[in-house]
Amino acid sequence: MDLEFGRGLRPPKRDSWKTTLLLAYQSLGVVYGDLSISPLYVYKSTFAEDIQHSETNEEIFGVLSFVFWTLTLIPLIKYVSIVLRADDNGEGGTFALYSLICRHANVSLLPNRQIADEELSTYKLERPPDTTDKSRIKAWLEKHRKLRVALLISANDTGSEAMFADLGHFSYSAIQLAFTCLVYPALILAYMGQAAYLSKHHDFYSSSQVGFYIAVPDRIRWPVLVLAILASVVGSQAIISGTFSIINQSQSLSCFPRVKVVHTSEKIHGQIYIPEINWLLMILCIAVAVGFRDTKHMGNASGLAVITVMLVTTFLTSLVIVLCWHRPPILALAFLLFFGSIEALYFSASLIKFLEGAWLPILLALILMSVMLIWHYTTIKKYEFDLHNKVTLEWLLALGDKLGMVRVPGIGLVYTDLTSGVPANFSRFVTNLPAFHRVLVFVCVKAVPVPHVLPAERYLVGRVGPPGHRSYRCIVRYGYRDVHQDVDSFEAELVESLAAFVRMDASFRCSEASPSLLMEREEQEMLEMDQQQGERRLTVVALRDRGGCYDLQHSAASSAAVEEEMRMRATSSASAAANNSKQVRFFIDSHVASPEDKRVAEELEALEAAREAGTAFILGHSHVQCKPGSSLFKRMAVDVGYNFLSRNCRGPDVALRVPPASLLEVGMVYVL
């Protein structure tokens, strides 16, 4: 493994005990902030109206027993012992479960999927040793599209539990240590202390006074109140950060309109801020507080939302047990029935409180689900429209001869969701304005069902047409928790990846010295060109360290060094030469006299000249409308709902951070 480029491919080191203790301490506020403030309102909500405090104390001890077994069965056994192990490369939450299921079963609804995505280092698969037949559950999920849609929406729409969702910010050992050694004992002691006090004191004016503060001595009641308010503020941060995370992940999977995402830390990955969502949360919080004016109704609303997330997590984890861990289905069924039956009882009890506040999370979930369904459905239909209306490179080349196509200086970046073919927006562009840039790059920025894509594996680069046409395709892959680059960094890395690909392509051609290997490669390329409509296979290109300057001009390497490098590659094994390398380790000298090296030098010179001339970003400006005769429901969803969201949310040029001076928009009408 190359030390320079393989640094990110090494398995993560096990945290030391000092690091684990520090992470466990930090998780107390972030992960357990919401759970730790539950003693403030549990007894008060329980004895608000429905249950009366009697002299026998049966109600007090009954509630204590209920709380004890709930904390023991759900957080301790289910989450700490089982669910936290279902991590996706260290990431947790319902998205992690959905990502694991998508990699082990063909249930993903993401467009432009490729076989090359399965070669990512973070695309881990745990295959059974001797099993080749599909399980019935896997075949059932893959057969019914409605189930796959429900699976995606449930992963997006449920939010996330702090303990599981914040797994990526800490570690399994830290969260497990903090809960088992501190949070769980402290909560049990707090509830036991309240129960002991209430069992000895019955002189309350009403049952509504049964709560946390009644057991606090008068001298320290106000300091405890201030401390409780501060603890509630800390606990709310887990909900706010979880909301930001779920919205960011939803839009990366084309399930939510594009919103502004601000990364608040350059060192800590995953700390984000979404202004629009933050304002919306503030308005909702004020509206709920003013509208309900009662912690009982707020507790009913919060309880239904939390138990719904637990139910969805239980269902997804049972699928992970069968599809990803390859355990017997009876084990997954036992997990589903045991924990699902307990949570179903809680869910039914919450539904009884529908008119007393539980209606709020249902209403918000319906609104959010409608937005996600409309956006995802229309996005998929637009991709299918592009896929059906794309043209081949042969058509573009033939059109150039007829129209007298002109190549202007510079680099043209044509953004598209397609991974092959020429998109319809570009064909529309050249038919109306028969000119495009001397270096043309079809760029596809796509999400893959993994949390992170290593920088060394982010770019897939290939040619579109013959080398003299100077047309390329670059597929940029991001995970659902990755930070997208700014336009300057992206443009620089894109040009570097093209230059690295040119050198790499020349290296492969020169290293394939044997005729049999050359014939085998040509046959493979012809097969892949047939599958991709005239395009050659794509190559993973790893870039050098960004700390240094990457010079596209002729390097100072001597021809002897180049020849030595070629000789070393020519003596490598056939299998190593056939596979796509992920390192760029040599330079082409301008004084090398071979025709292949001259062609590479000319191509790099053309790329350098185009970069100095400037870069233009070509994007489609789309308008969506339904076909004549479409149903009223479809017209309302697409013509009204989607167009309203697209007009009032960030456009693709803003989301991709394209400078307005370099933007070329091509109008497109999608008739769905």
Side-chain angles (χ1 to χ4, degrees):
M1 180 176 62
D2 187 87
L3 296 178
E4 182 178 358
F5 296 99
R7 190 176 300 126
L9 303 178
R10 296 174 181 172
K13 295 181 179 180
R14 189 178 183 86
D15 293 333
S16 63
W17 64 271
K18 293 183 180 180
T19 304
T20 302
L21 288 178
L22 179 61
L23 291 175
Y25 172 75
Q26 293 174 345
S27 68
L28 295 177
V30 179
V31 178
Y32 301 111
D34 188 36
L35 183 62
S36 300
I37 63 175
S38 60
L40 298 177
Y41 54 83
V42 168
Y43 279 101
K44 180 177 176 58
S45 300
T46 303
F47 292 95
E49 294 178 3
D50 307 319
I51 303 176
Q52 299 296 324
H53 185 194
S54 64
E55 294 292 333
T56 60
N57 295 320
E58 293 180 355
E59 299 81 8
I60 297 293
F61 297 136
V63 172
L64 175 62
S65 177
F66 182 80
V67 170
F68 172 80
W69 286 110
T70 299
L71 290 174
T72 302
L73 293 176
I74 304 300
L76 183 61
I77 297 179
K78 174 189 168 183
Y79 279 96
V80 173
S81 302
I82 302 175
V83 177
L84 285 181
R85 299 180 183 274
D87 67 296
D88 183 11
N89 293 279
E91 298 292 338
T94 51
F95 260 99
L97 297 175
Y98 176 75
S99 176
L100 285 173
I101 295 172
C102 288
R103 297 207 298 269
H104 290 81
N106 188 20
V107 297
S108 176
L109 294 176
L110 292 176
N112 54 45
R113 289 175 291 167
Q114 296 174 284
I115 299 178
D117 298 337
E118 300 180 6
E119 299 176 1
L120 293 170
S121 300
T122 51
Y123 201 102
K124 296 189 303 184
L125 294 178
E126 300 177 6
R127 300 185 183 276
D130 299 319
T131 302
T132 56
D133 297 333
K134 286 186 177 181
S135 65
R136 293 183 178 179
I137 298 177
K138 181 178 180 180
W140 183 56
L141 288 174
E142 293 177 350
K143 181 180 179 181
H144 298 86
R145 179 178 174 83
K146 292 183 179 179
L147 292 177
R148 289 182 282 163
V149 174
L151 198 65
L152 175 62
I153 299 300
S154 64
N156 284 268
D157 198 37
T158 55
S160 52
E161 314 92 323
M163 183 189 298
F164 187 33
D166 290 324
L167 179 61
H169 297 164
F170 301 97
S171 66
Y172 170 74
S173 301
I175 294 178
Q176 186 182 45
L177 179 65
F179 185 80
T180 56
C181 296
L182 185 58
V183 177
Y184 178 75
L187 287 174
I188 296 299
L189 290 175
Y191 283 112
M192 285 183 174
Q194 287 190 62
Y197 181 87
L198 295 175
S199 65
K200 296 297 183 180
H201 297 79
H202 297 265
D203 52 342
F204 304 129
Y205 294 106
S206 64
S207 297
S208 61
Q209 286 189 324
V210 178
F212 175 80
Y213 298 104
I214 198 67
V216 179
D218 295 337
R219 295 180 179 179
I220 60 173
R221 184 166 297 173
W222 283 105
V224 170
L225 176 62
V226 173
L227 183 63
I229 293 175
L230 295 177
S232 301
V233 172
V234 174
S236 66
Q237 295 303 309
I239 304 300
I240 296 173
S241 61
T243 304
F244 291 162
S245 178
I246 203 71
I247 293 298
N248 185 42
Q249 295 170 7
S250 298
Q251 70 174 0
S252 69
L253 297 181
S254 302
C255 291
F256 199 82
R258 292 175 289 267
V259 293
K260 183 179 181 180
V261 178
V262 180
H263 298 273
T264 58
S265 175
E266 296 181 356
K267 298 181 179 179
I268 302 177
H269 182 83
Q271 290 189 356
I272 60 175
Y273 168 71
I274 304 179
E276 295 92 338
I277 303 300
N278 189 63
W279 281 99
L280 184 60
L281 287 175
M282 185 197 70
I283 295 173
L284 289 175
C285 288
I286 295 176
V288 169
V290 173
F292 283 159
R293 298 182 181 180
D294 188 2
T295 57
K296 176 187 175 181
H297 291 80
M298 295 181 187
N300 293 336
S302 175
L304 182 60
V306 170
I307 198 61
T308 303
V309 178
M310 291 182 177
L311 274 172
V312 173
T313 302
T314 300
F315 173 71
L316 293 178
T317 305
S318 63
L319 292 179
V320 169
I321 292 175
V322 176
L323 301 178
C324 306
W325 294 350
H326 307 288
R327 303 299 182 185
I330 189 65
L331 187 62
L333 182 62
F335 175 85
L336 179 63
L337 291 179
F338 181 77
F339 293 104
S341 59
I342 297 174
E343 293 162 355
L345 291 176
Y346 296 164
F347 183 77
S348 61
S350 299
L351 287 179
I352 297 176
K353 307 292 184 179
F354 179 81
L355 297 178
E356 300 178 7
W359 57 269
L360 179 62
I362 295 179
L363 177 62
L364 295 178
L366 289 176
I367 295 174
L368 189 61
M369 187 179 298
S370 300
V371 171
M372 289 182 171
L373 283 173
I374 290 173
W375 190 265
H376 179 73
Y377 170 80
T378 311
T379 301
I380 295 298
K381 289 299 180 181
K382 287 177 61 179
Y383 174 77
E384 294 175 354
F385 181 90
D386 286 336
L387 197 64
H388 179 73
N389 291 276
K390 69 178 182 179
V391 298
T392 61
L393 181 66
E394 289 76 10
W395 177 89
L396 181 62
L397 295 176
L399 185 67
D401 296 335
K402 296 178 181 178
L403 299 179
M405 201 75 67
V406 178
R407 304 293 292 267
V408 298
I411 300 177
L413 302 182
V414 183
Y415 281 85
T416 175
D417 291 331
L418 302 178
T419 58
S420 64
V422 179
N425 61 346
F426 183 73
S427 63
R428 181 182 179 89
F429 173 78
V430 296
T431 51
N432 289 275
L433 181 63
F436 57 91
H437 298 80
R438 290 177 181 171
V439 175
L440 189 65
V441 186
F442 296 97
V443 181
C444 174
V445 180
K446 57 180 265 188
V448 290
V450 295
H452 305 287
V453 176
L454 298 179
E457 300 175 327
R458 188 174 308 283
Y459 292 91
L460 275 172
V461 184
R463 295 189 187 278
V464 180
H469 197 261
R470 303 289 190 267
S471 297
Y472 309 90
R473 183 175 304 279
C474 182
I475 298 176
V476 189
R477 301 177 291 185
Y478 288 98
Y480 56 82
R481 290 185 67 90
D482 274 333
V483 179
H484 287 229
Q485 301 158 285
D486 61 272
V487 66
D488 295 330
S489 174
F490 172 72
E491 182 181 347
E493 288 194 2
L494 181 62
V495 175
E496 291 177 12
S497 66
L498 294 178
F501 168 75
V502 172
R503 292 186 172 94
M504 184 183 298
D505 188 55
S507 172
F508 278 125
R509 293 181 182 277
C510 295
S511 62
E512 292 169 340
S514 62
S516 59
L517 185 59
L518 184 60
M519 185 178 299
E520 180 182 351
R521 176 179 172 86
E522 289 179 351
E523 291 177 356
Q524 182 180 0
E525 285 192 352
M526 290 300 297
L527 177 61
E528 293 175 351
M529 287 174 65
D530 292 339
Q531 294 174 349
Q532 300 181 8
Q533 297 184 359
E535 296 186 23
R536 298 180 181 273
R537 63 180 181 182
L538 302 176
T539 304
V540 178
V541 176
L543 301 180
R544 295 181 179 272
D545 190 0
R546 293 286 298 156
C549 180
Y550 193 92
D551 188 9
L552 289 181
Q553 300 289 348
H554 308 305
S555 66
S558 64
S559 58
V562 177
E563 292 175 359
E564 179 65 22
E565 181 67 31
M566 296 299 183
R567 193 179 302 111
M568 292 175 61
R569 290 184 174 271
T571 56
S572 61
S573 61
S575 59
N579 293 329
N580 289 336
S581 175
K582 297 182 182 180
Q583 291 85 23
V584 182
R585 302 176 57 86
F586 71 102
F587 298 90
I588 302 296
D589 186 17
S590 59
H591 301 290
V592 177
S594 66
E596 182 69 20
D597 293 339
K598 286 184 177 180
R599 184 189 65 79
V600 171
E602 292 176 357
E603 192 167 1
L604 291 177
E605 287 178 357
L607 183 60
E608 172 66 17
R611 187 184 69 168
E612 292 179 353
T615 303
F617 299 82
I618 304 174
L619 280 77
H621 184 80
S622 61
H623 176 74
V624 180
Q625 64 183 37
C626 290
K627 295 179 180 179
S630 299
S631 63
L632 177 62
F633 179 78
K634 183 177 180 180
R635 294 201 302 270
M636 290 293 296
V638 176
D639 294 347
V640 178
Y642 180 83
N643 286 325
F644 173 80
L645 292 173
S646 61
R647 286 194 302 267
N648 292 276
C649 294
R650 294 163 66 89
D653 56 326
V654 181
L656 295 170
R657 302 180 177 93
V658 176
S662 304
L663 176 63
L664 289 175
E665 289 189 303
V666 182
M668 284 288 296
V669 177
Y670 289 84
V671 182
L672 307 180

